[in-house]
Amino acid sequence: MIFLLKNRRMRRVWAALLLLLFCASGWSQGTTFKLAEDPDLPYVIAHCTACHSGSLITQNRMTRDGWLKTIRWMQKEQGLWPLGEHEERVLNYLERHYFPQTSGRRKAIAPHLMPKQNP
Amino acid sequence: MPAKNHLSRRRFLLQSGAFSALLGTEIVFHKYLPPGLLPVALAETNTIAGKDPGLVVLNDRPLNAETPAHLLDDKVTPASRLFVRNNGIPPEAPDSDNWTLTISGESVEQEKSWTIQQLKDNFKHYSYQLTIECGGNGRAEFNPPAKGNQWTTGAVGCPKWTGVRLKDVLQASGIKPDAVYIGYYGADKHLSGDPGKFPISRGVPIHKALEDEALIAWAMNDEPLPLLNGFPLRLVFGGWPASTSGKWLQKIAVRNQIHDGAKMTGTAYRVPCNPVAPGSTVDETQMCIIEAMPVKSLITFPKSGVSQALTEPMLVRGHAWAGDKKVTRMQLSIDFGQTWLNAPLSSPVNKNAWQHWQHKLRFPKPGYYEIWAKATDDTGVSQPMVLPGWNPKGYLNNATHRIAVQVI
């Protein structure tokens, strides 16, 4: 529908509103790899999903320092821009949701590979 | 809503300055964003054109996908079941008729370029079944976790590759005596869209490059390469991290030093030169380049999670491989490694091809079992039961594969 809006200015307003809406509702993430809902999520989407999908976040677990080092590495080697005042929020988000869990030396076989009849 | 509209809407949102509105502040990074790059969150699909729908997508942008063990049961891996590892953005529609490969670098006598047809016309063709495995296959088991795509067991495959020998093509240019390494350059683009950056440019020492089985390949299983696996031309070095087997191959540089392209330096595809405790921070100067991959095996039949009748024997089979070496023994355990049975094992069809094994197992009583598979190479080195040598980037996990079985 928004493609039909001819007026440039109107389109901008619509776009901004829609984007806010999508981000707030999490709809824009699709269903495959869902980044954790959080007030800071829009900052993470804005800064961290331009080059690769958010699945590189959801697959990983790091300490705050680990995330910071990863960001510095991407800034040095991969063309990531300075996050400025948003860095703190992005790091808070990453630390909050994607922190390492302690686990044994070798985990049990993944649930989807287990027998259904296993009592 | 059709995908195309989706994209154009997102592009529009970005260009319209909606981000400033969203974040309520001037966007520090806006000017860094190359055209065509969109902060889209995630795609809505996880099936890949030309690939088996059973492949598991780890990352949809760039596409990275692995093959569940039970889909790797074929002796020769079908193109549809070979994993996909992208470091950058693959070329969209490469033109194989006008594709050229250039041989250059400090250590060639004469720079030369070849079209694919010229390669086909001027050099003898060879076909080999070569195992390629991502260096990070098994990363998902690292604890503390290692960053990157969390491959479980499926970033490996062994298709039949056809092409010309790399050594024949290098020799046509003349290799200077000071040559130590080759480095490749492909047509994939860096994720940032920056044309000055390469997503990946790795290679191998000259001795590996000059082996008979080191190929410049245009075919997989007698068909043109799948786009995602390097169409129209790629390198294949069996038994070494698959990242050495450059896709969408445009240039090979013969180097008088260890190649220093993207992902050759720093911590990429390197492990600590000396073993470290899990979780250690390792200085870049103490990280050494991975060469041949370690001994490993997979149980490809049955699929983990099956039920098995106590009264029947259970047929179990799979493959085993060992980098540049041969697998000489294959063992199975149904009691968590307390006792082991030897499984008959085939010889490889050629160097760097995986080998096949199978066995009939019987279980003593009903209940939950795990089948563990352990291969041993011709130097007596076996797969460990737990994660071997923890390393910061999560490479080289060759711990025994396990499947779960309920005996009823």
Side-chain angles (χ1 to χ4, degrees):
Chain A
M1 36 133 198
I2 59 168
F3 313 105
L4 302 177
L5 292 177
K6 290 270 155 59
N7 180 302
R8 228 182 124 79
R9 203 177 198 95
M10 272 305 288
R11 284 203 302 210
R12 285 188 176 208
V13 175
W14 266 99
L17 282 172
L18 279 171
L19 184 68
L20 267 167
L21 202 79
F22 292 159
C23 291
S25 68
W27 183 87
S28 66
Q29 286 194 68
T31 48
T32 321
F33 313 101
K34 214 165 179 314
L35 282 161
E37 296 295 342
D38 186 296
D40 287 333
L41 176 60
Y43 295 86
V44 174
I45 290 181
H47 289 291
C48 304
T49 63
C51 299
H52 48 69
S53 87
S55 69
L56 269 178
I57 294 173
T58 59
Q59 288 187 74
N60 283 295
R61 297 288 178 274
M62 285 176 239
T63 59
R64 189 182 183 90
D65 185 51
W67 281 111
L68 182 61
K69 284 196 174 118
T70 305
I71 288 172
R72 292 286 177 267
W73 167 75
M74 280 181 288
Q75 287 170 334
K76 184 162 160 261
E77 308 272 344
Q78 311 295 353
L80 173 61
W81 45 82
L83 303 187
E85 63 191 40
H86 299 161
E87 186 168 286
E88 197 64 14
R89 284 175 182 272
V90 169
L91 281 172
N92 289 346
Y93 174 93
L94 294 169
E95 185 184 29
R96 234 176 351 253
H97 299 284
Y98 301 101
F99 194 81
Q101 314 286 313
T102 45
S103 72
R105 186 96 194 252
R106 206 165 180 194
K107 292 176 194 144
I109 290 177
H112 73 279
L113 297 172
M114 286 300 243
K116 300 271 177 303
Q117 287 121 310
N118 193 22
Chain B
M1 195 179 292
K4 206 166 167 220
N5 285 0
H6 241 103
L7 265 186
S8 46
R9 184 185 60 208
R10 283 169 173 153
R11 175 169 295 130
F12 166 66
L13 290 174
L14 181 65
Q15 286 164 352
S16 71
F19 269 98
S20 308
L22 166 71
L23 300 175
T25 141
E26 197 42 49
I27 311 247
V28 282
F29 59 89
H30 211 149
K31 63 173 187 284
Y32 295 93
L33 269 182
L37 256 197
L38 313 162
V40 253
L42 302 153
E44 275 93 28
T45 172
N46 49 10
T47 54
I48 311 162
K51 292 286 175 184
D52 190 299
L55 261 65
V56 177
V57 177
L58 302 178
N59 185 353
D60 56 338
R61 192 165 46 84
L63 196 60
N64 282 273
E66 68 172 329
T67 315
H70 69 281
L71 294 181
L72 285 171
D73 195 40
D74 301 87
K75 289 189 169 167
V76 181
T77 309
S80 63
R81 291 181 172 180
L82 185 65
F83 70 99
V84 177
R85 164 62 172 133
N86 283 313
N87 290 262
I89 306 164
E92 265 169 32
D95 174 5
S96 57
D97 293 340
N98 295 307
W99 193 267
T100 56
L101 169 65
T102 303
I103 309 298
S104 62
E106 316 85 67
S107 296
V108 287
E109 304 284 357
Q110 201 192 345
E111 181 168 313
K112 281 194 176 174
S113 289
W114 307 89
T115 63
I116 296 176
Q117 195 56 48
Q118 287 170 332
L119 288 174
K120 289 181 177 173
D121 292 345
N122 284 279
F123 301 98
K124 190 166 174 214
H125 301 187
Y126 294 88
S127 292
Y128 296 107
Q129 226 194 303
L130 301 169
T131 310
I132 59 170
E133 179 178 15
C134 174
N137 198 21
R139 176 175 296 141
E141 283 200 309
F142 273 66
N143 180 38
K147 64 189 174 184
N149 287 300
Q150 298 295 304
W151 305 99
T152 65
T153 56
V156 63
C158 190
K160 176 185 147 194
W161 307 90
T162 301
V164 292
R165 282 182 174 157
L166 174 59
K167 70 170 173 189
D168 292 349
V169 180
L170 295 183
Q171 275 155 7
S173 272
I175 306 166
K176 291 187 188 165
D178 66 352
V180 295
Y181 230 89
I182 67 105
Y184 67 76
Y185 295 87
D188 45 344
K189 294 203 189 66
H190 192 267
L191 293 180
S192 66
D194 180 347
K197 283 187 184 296
F198 286 99
I200 187 163
S201 168
R202 305 196 67 243
V204 295
I206 198 79
H207 69 81
K208 179 70 181 171
L210 297 181
E211 283 181 2
D212 285 353
E213 299 79 10
L215 289 184
I216 298 171
W218 55 76
M220 183 193 295
N221 303 333
D222 303 315
E223 299 282 341
L225 298 170
L227 176 62
L228 286 169
N229 299 113
F231 175 84
L233 201 65
R234 71 173 296 165
L235 284 167
V236 189
F237 297 110
W240 282 47
S243 57
T244 61
S245 296
K247 301 192 280 183
W248 311 290
L249 181 67
Q250 289 180 317
K251 186 170 122 183
I252 297 171
V254 183
R255 307 294 315 269
N256 63 7
Q257 60 168 80
I258 294 176
H259 183 53
D260 52 1
K263 301 208 172 172
M264 280 301 299
T265 55
T267 57
Y269 300 102
R270 287 178 182 240
V271 290
C273 304
N274 297 321
V276 300
S280 302
T281 305
V282 186
D283 195 77
E284 284 187 6
T285 60
Q286 295 306 305
M287 297 285 281
C288 287
I289 299 171
I290 300 168
E291 298 202 329
M293 295 292 288
V295 61
K296 201 161 170 179
S297 58
L298 270 183
I299 304 163
T300 58
F301 184 89
K303 182 181 176 183
S304 187
V306 286
S307 308
Q308 168 68 29
L310 179 65
T311 50
E312 298 291 323
M314 185 166 104
L315 177 68
V316 184
R317 65 172 177 253
H319 318 291
W321 61 97
D324 281 335
K325 296 184 278 187
K326 243 175 96 167
V327 179
T328 47
R329 189 160 55 153
M330 189 65 215
Q331 292 170 294
L332 300 173
S333 178
I334 57 166
D335 57 11
F336 304 92
Q338 298 175 86
T339 61
W340 293 92
L341 301 153
N342 287 320
L345 175 73
S346 75
S347 293
V349 290
N350 52 252
K351 188 178 178 229
N352 298 135
W354 66 16
Q355 297 164 244
H356 317 291
W357 56 268
Q358 66 169 36
H359 203 41
K360 279 189 176 143
L361 294 176
R362 284 194 176 273
F363 298 89
K365 52 184 175 181
Y368 174 79
Y369 291 84
E370 290 182 9
I371 301 173
W372 292 11
K374 177 170 79 161
T376 303
D377 72 24
D378 56 11
T379 58
V381 177
S382 303
Q383 293 181 253
M385 302 307 112
V386 294
L387 185 91
W390 184 94
N391 60 83
K393 289 286 291 159
Y395 297 120
L396 305 182
N397 177 7
N398 66 335
T400 47
H401 183 217
R402 307 169 297 172
I403 66 164
V405 178
Q406 189 70 28
V407 176
I408 46 179

